Amino acid sequence: MTTLQDCLALDAQDPLRELRRLFTLPQGVIYLDGNSLGPLPAAAPARIAQAVTQEWGQGLIRSWNSAGWYELPRRLGDRIAALIGAGADEVVATDSTSINLYKVLSAGLEIAARDAPHRSKLVSERSNFPTDLYIAQSLCKQRGYQLHLVDSDRIEAALTDETAVLMLTHVNYRTGAMHDMADLTAKAHAAGVLAVWDLAHSAGAVPVDLHGADADFAVGCGYKYLNGGPGAPAFVWVHPRHTGRFCQPLAGWWSHEAPFEFTPDYRPAPGIARYLCGTQPILSMTALECGLDTFAAAQPLGGMATLRRKSLALSDLFIALMQERCAGNGFGLATPREHERRGSQVCLTRKQGAYAIVQALIARGVIGDFRAGDGAKHEDILRFGFTPLYTSFADVWNAVEQLRQVLESGEWQRPEFDRKHAVT
Amino acid sequence: MTTLQDCLALDAQDPLRELRRLFTLPQGVIYLDGNSLGPLPAAAPARIAQAVTQEWGQGLIRSWNSAGWYELPRRLGDRIAALIGAGADEVVATDSTSINLYKVLSAGLEIAARDAPHRSKLVSERSNFPTDLYIAQSLCKQRGYQLHLVDSDRIEAALTDETAVLMLTHVNYRTGAMHDMADLTAKAHAAGVLAVWDLAHSAGAVPVDLHGADADFAVGCGYKYLNGGPGAPAFVWVHPRHTGRFCQPLAGWWSHEAPFEFTPDYRPAPGIARYLCGTQPILSMTALECGLDTFAAAQPLGGMATLRRKSLALSDLFIALMQERCAGNGFGLATPREHERRGSQVCLTRKQGAYAIVQALIARGVIGDFRAGDGAKHEDILRFGFTPLYTSFADVWNAVEQLRQVLESGEWQRPEFDRKHAVT
């Protein structure tokens, strides 16, 4: 049996243990929901206050130049690029994941229409995050493509000469299952299919190597593992072989070659800047930079490789402790046990009571979240994110102990934990 | 001749004079660029700090419910609606002006394609803000429409049975000239043409009555006259007769009828919420709410009607003082003298030296901005916004006096004021 002492010993040996001080976490909270909203970087309040009172308040309009506001999407894009195996000048931080997906899917379909006009399908996974599917539905309808949704074990079979684009989320939001990006991209390319990857649950969570995988397009989220704050701007990457070939449809002035010439004719910017659209929310962008700073601090300690090692150790520990201390309570494991197929979260399944158990845990200060069962399997999900920048091994032990007590006491069956509409 | 004493007397009688304390303006600055970026509301630093440290830091993911984050686009939309003659549940604050324009233009073209498939043109003004034209170019290319750009005196003539949609910016960004929204919308409708209005330089600047004008669609900006902070979210309005008729193309999960059911099939929200897309930048949204609060404070004093009265008095004064004190310096007036055709800014023209003069003024603490001449007229623009919430009549007098000194001294010809790339 693993003891709290064992976990404290792991913490004492953890090369990342000092990084927890980079975050401000509430007293008495074990936060296992950084996969949904990363916590507050300790440096963010002062930095944001500076942006508000000095840059906005004192600098006013001059801060577009003097405070570097205008460069933020590219500057932050370069910093994100370093976390996902992309090159400099290949990523911009901007807009939302949904909007960026619209841009790259549109581009992918346009490339396909030119290079392979007989291909009529956009393939994705039925269990993909819904906004990806909605955006794909909208574009397919608009452009005369068919959205073909398959189960995860049927993806390869769907890479036929009818398929134009494969759109996948690298790590599944409900189960934490991770695709082999390099393998699926290679299989897509072998079949003449473009590969679009959503890194919402990957960027800052697992090592990603877009160039190594030879991916075509990618988008991702700023407010989950990147700790960019609520609704932080998202990001978009385009392989340089595609960037200059066409314009994305949201061709606003920030995507223009010379926006401040104010010419009536559109001339797309030469590089990734053509994936920008309009003016960006600078205060939220400033918070995202603070989130990225927390990854910069991990760089001298080995960066994403060290983070990944600890992430797997944390999720391994959680799985082991659940078996040791909470067995026989009707939980299943939705997340793959194999490391190479696991993201940075662990998802438990339960036929009943999942919502109430999550609520009872939150009441005890252990914050995970709930996802309703999908159509196929009538099992709801209890979702726990393990974020090595600020989560300790002792946190994992204590979280499982709280869960054990919630189950043993039966307190999760209290009326106040009844399932209601969950907004997370 | 008007004296500073006269202006101080006007300030003493100004019913809005106390509202200036709602803003934090830098010492020694006369800020005449609120048409580009509104200044910092005095309440914003504390409110944003609360959102950062309490809502994000302490509330974490729970704040989507407990702090009302999820409702912000609709809640702020309702507050903006009250400033533009729209009803409750008809406006959402979201995304950027460019992106919102893409949504409504797409909707307009879709309506036209159903109701009037023989109409093939989207008409706009050649001098419209470029991002509007770029977005329109992109959509026209995509949907097989022709973008037909005309001069402002040829708009009515372009309302033919070939035209599907008329897209105009209510107040011109370069000249401050204002269209008669009700008149042009009526003429458009009489010709079977839908009317899309960009309120970027109108919302919070001049009275707008979207229902009174019977407009079809509108978008606008949060960071100019609404004082929402750099890159604040924009807004979008759709006339209820159109809202339920179709889906906009950026159909992300926030536009879904039940986003937290996470269903793979898209079902659009019944009302204006279908014009949302993805997760919004909450910190920037919070700043926008502080900007809107400054308008709430003007409500008991007569709201937009009182603001308009003072705005015209300020711009009248500026025009008069320019004639009295700066005549013979080669300035023209791009802004109409007629009140009903003037927005809330005054634009001077000059064949040469406009950039340097603006820079010399900024160096003296009088912040306006520069816009290069367009193709037709080779006259550059010096742009001054007059925002009645925080600009005094004495400010106007002092600004003109500084300009007089800049001209008299010849200091604007110093090398450091040479024209460079302007980012505003």
Side-chain angles (χ1 to χ4, degrees):
Chain A
M1 292 285 280
T2 312
T3 66
L4 177 57
Q5 290 308 317
D6 297 333
C7 295
L8 291 168
L10 290 172
D11 284 329
Q13 299 157 21
D14 172 16
L16 301 171
R17 66 188 177 280
E18 296 296 330
L19 299 189
R20 188 185 177 101
R21 67 178 165 71
L22 299 178
F23 296 87
T24 302
L25 290 157
Q27 286 287 336
V29 162
I30 298 174
Y31 194 57
L32 303 180
D33 212 2
N35 49 316
S36 195
L37 173 66
L40 176 66
R47 176 69 191 90
I48 296 166
Q50 183 200 24
V52 171
T53 60
Q54 295 304 307
E55 295 175 18
W56 179 13
Q58 297 295 307
L60 290 159
I61 193 70
R62 298 168 289 198
S63 289
W64 282 106
N65 286 319
S66 60
W69 289 348
Y70 189 66
E71 297 303 324
L72 272 173
R74 273 166 279 204
R75 186 150 56 82
L76 301 195
D78 280 346
R79 298 187 63 181
I80 293 167
L83 298 174
I84 56 175
D89 298 322
E90 291 179 6
V91 175
V92 280
T94 188
D95 297 331
S96 68
T97 309
S98 302
I99 285 171
N100 290 332
L101 189 65
Y102 186 87
K103 298 172 188 168
V104 299
L105 274 188
S106 175
L109 292 178
E110 192 174 324
I111 290 177
R114 288 189 202 174
D115 296 352
H118 59 286
R119 294 175 183 257
S120 61
K121 288 183 183 172
L122 191 162
V123 168
S124 192
E125 242 181 312
R126 186 165 290 112
S127 65
N128 202 340
F129 188 71
T131 208
D132 297 47
L133 301 183
Y134 304 158
I135 292 286
Q137 275 180 44
S138 169
L139 266 167
C140 283
K141 191 177 155 198
Q142 220 181 89
R143 308 287 172 91
Y145 280 81
Q146 181 197 342
L147 177 60
H148 183 48
L149 299 185
V150 298
D151 290 332
S152 56
D153 58 354
R154 301 293 298 162
I155 293 168
E156 290 183 38
L159 299 172
T160 69
D161 61 5
E162 293 186 334
T163 300
V165 172
L166 173 66
M167 170 188 85
L168 291 175
T169 296
H170 184 216
V171 175
N172 186 281
Y173 80 107
R174 290 181 80 255
T175 64
M178 180 166 70
H179 286 300
D180 184 333
M181 185 187 288
D183 179 60
L184 278 170
T185 301
K187 284 171 177 155
H189 287 179
V193 176
L194 291 166
V196 176
W197 290 96
D198 180 344
L199 306 178
H201 290 266
S202 313
V206 298
V208 175
D209 187 358
L210 288 168
H211 274 289
D214 199 32
D216 295 292
F217 299 93
V219 299
C221 179
Y223 56 78
K224 297 176 185 288
Y225 292 93
L226 296 183
N227 307 313
F235 64 86
V236 53
W237 170 81
V238 178
H239 193 288
R241 68 175 164 257
H242 301 307
T243 317
R245 289 186 67 198
F246 51 83
C247 304
Q248 55 94 2
L250 297 166
W253 66 313
W254 280 40
S255 74
H256 194 275
E257 186 178 16
F260 294 98
E261 284 183 11
F262 297 99
T263 61
D265 285 315
Y266 183 67
R267 301 195 313 271
I272 189 66
R274 73 171 60 183
Y275 279 79
L276 297 172
C277 180
T279 308
Q280 288 303 298
I282 296 301
L283 302 180
S284 288
M285 201 72 110
T286 300
L288 174 57
E289 185 154 37
C290 297
L292 295 174
D293 285 344
T294 65
F295 285 89
Q299 206 50 45
L301 303 167
M304 283 309 303
T306 306
L307 289 167
R308 173 64 169 167
R309 211 173 302 122
K310 181 174 169 190
S311 159
L312 288 169
L314 290 167
S315 53
D316 276 346
L317 175 64
F318 182 79
I319 293 168
L321 286 170
M322 281 301 296
Q323 287 179 306
E324 291 177 15
R325 304 174 60 79
C326 295
N329 277 291
F331 291 108
L333 182 65
T335 306
R337 287 177 186 273
E338 309 94 293
H339 284 180
E340 63 278 14
R341 294 191 51 227
R342 190 193 306 163
S344 198
Q345 67 188 52
V346 175
C347 300
L348 306 176
T349 59
R350 204 163 192 272
K351 284 205 192 299
Q352 288 178 325
Y355 181 84
I357 293 168
V358 167
Q359 292 307 110
L361 274 173
I362 291 173
R364 282 171 170 260
V366 179
I367 302 181
D369 64 23
F370 164 85
R371 286 291 176 266
D374 60 14
K377 293 184 195 166
H378 297 289
E379 290 191 326
D380 293 329
I381 294 247
L382 302 88
R383 207 168 63 145
F384 302 98
F386 295 96
T387 47
L389 282 170
Y390 51 84
T391 305
S392 69
F393 293 93
D395 284 339
V396 176
W397 200 94
N398 286 318
V400 174
E401 171 59 16
Q402 296 291 326
L403 177 52
R404 195 192 63 75
Q405 292 180 25
V406 160
L407 296 165
E408 186 180 77
S409 66
E411 73 194 49
W412 62 276
Q413 298 178 68
R414 286 189 206 151
E416 69 260 37
F417 300 136
D418 267 1
R419 184 170 172 185
K420 287 171 275 180
H421 185 65
V423 181
T424 47
Chain B
M1 293 285 281
T2 312
T3 66
L4 178 56
Q5 289 310 315
D6 297 332
C7 295
L8 290 168
L10 289 171
D11 284 328
Q13 299 157 22
D14 171 15
L16 301 171
R17 65 188 179 279
E18 296 296 331
L19 298 189
R20 187 185 178 99
R21 68 178 164 71
L22 298 178
F23 296 88
T24 302
L25 291 157
Q27 286 288 335
V29 162
I30 298 174
Y31 193 57
L32 303 179
D33 212 2
N35 50 316
S36 194
L37 173 66
L40 177 66
R47 176 67 190 93
I48 295 166
Q50 183 200 22
V52 171
T53 60
Q54 295 304 308
E55 295 175 18
W56 178 13
Q58 297 295 309
L60 290 159
I61 192 71
R62 299 168 289 198
S63 289
W64 281 106
N65 285 319
S66 60
W69 288 350
Y70 189 65
E71 298 303 324
L72 272 172
R74 273 167 279 202
R75 186 149 57 84
L76 301 195
D78 279 346
R79 299 187 63 181
I80 293 167
L83 298 175
I84 58 175
D89 298 323
E90 292 179 7
V91 175
V92 281
T94 187
D95 296 331
S96 67
T97 310
S98 302
I99 284 171
N100 290 332
L101 189 65
Y102 186 88
K103 298 172 189 169
V104 299
L105 274 187
S106 175
L109 292 178
E110 192 175 324
I111 290 177
R114 288 191 203 173
D115 297 352
H118 59 286
R119 294 175 183 257
S120 61
K121 287 183 183 172
L122 191 163
V123 168
S124 192
E125 244 181 311
R126 187 167 289 111
S127 64
N128 201 341
F129 189 71
T131 208
D132 297 45
L133 302 182
Y134 303 159
I135 292 287
Q137 276 179 43
S138 169
L139 266 167
C140 284
K141 192 176 155 200
Q142 221 180 87
R143 308 287 172 91
Y145 280 80
Q146 181 198 340
L147 178 60
H148 183 47
L149 299 184
V150 297
D151 290 333
S152 55
D153 57 354
R154 300 292 299 161
I155 293 169
E156 290 182 39
L159 298 172
T160 69
D161 60 6
E162 292 186 335
T163 299
V165 173
L166 172 66
M167 170 188 85
L168 291 175
T169 296
H170 184 216
V171 175
N172 186 282
Y173 80 106
R174 290 181 80 254
T175 64
M178 181 165 69
H179 286 300
D180 184 332
M181 185 187 289
D183 180 60
L184 277 170
T185 300
K187 285 171 176 155
H189 287 178
V193 175
L194 291 166
V196 176
W197 291 95
D198 180 344
L199 306 178
H201 290 264
S202 313
V206 298
V208 175
D209 187 358
L210 288 168
H211 274 288
D214 198 31
D216 294 292
F217 299 93
V219 299
C221 179
Y223 55 79
K224 297 177 186 286
Y225 292 94
L226 296 184
N227 306 314
F235 64 86
V236 54
W237 171 80
V238 177
H239 193 288
R241 66 173 164 259
H242 300 308
T243 315
R245 288 187 67 198
F246 50 84
C247 305
Q248 55 93 3
L250 297 166
W253 66 313
W254 280 39
S255 74
H256 194 275
E257 187 179 15
F260 294 98
E261 284 183 10
F262 298 99
T263 60
D265 284 315
Y266 183 66
R267 300 195 314 271
I272 190 65
R274 74 171 59 183
Y275 279 78
L276 298 173
C277 180
T279 309
Q280 289 304 298
I282 296 300
L283 301 180
S284 287
M285 201 72 109
T286 300
L288 174 57
E289 184 153 37
C290 297
L292 296 174
D293 286 342
T294 65
F295 284 90
Q299 206 49 44
L301 304 167
M304 283 309 304
T306 307
L307 290 167
R308 174 64 169 167
R309 211 172 303 123
K310 181 175 170 189
S311 159
L312 287 170
L314 291 167
S315 53
D316 276 346
L317 176 65
F318 182 80
I319 293 168
L321 286 170
M322 282 301 296
Q323 287 181 305
E324 291 177 15
R325 304 174 60 80
C326 294
N329 276 291
F331 291 109
L333 181 64
T335 305
R337 287 177 187 273
E338 309 94 293
H339 284 181
E340 63 276 15
R341 293 191 52 228
R342 191 194 304 164
S344 197
Q345 67 188 53
V346 175
C347 300
L348 306 174
T349 59
R350 204 165 192 271
K351 285 204 192 303
Q352 287 178 328
Y355 182 84
I357 293 167
V358 166
Q359 292 307 111
L361 273 173
I362 291 173
R364 282 171 170 260
V366 178
I367 302 182
D369 64 23
F370 163 85
R371 286 290 177 266
D374 60 16
K377 292 184 197 165
H378 296 289
E379 289 190 326
D380 292 329
I381 294 248
L382 302 88
R383 208 168 63 145
F384 302 98
F386 295 96
T387 46
L389 282 170
Y390 50 85
T391 305
S392 69
F393 293 93
D395 283 340
V396 176
W397 201 93
N398 286 319
V400 174
E401 171 59 16
Q402 296 292 325
L403 177 52
R404 196 192 63 74
Q405 292 182 25
V406 159
L407 295 164
E408 187 179 78
S409 67
E411 74 194 48
W412 62 276
Q413 298 179 68
R414 287 188 204 152
E416 68 260 38
F417 300 136
D418 267 2
R419 184 171 173 182
K420 286 170 274 180
H421 185 66
V423 181
T424 50

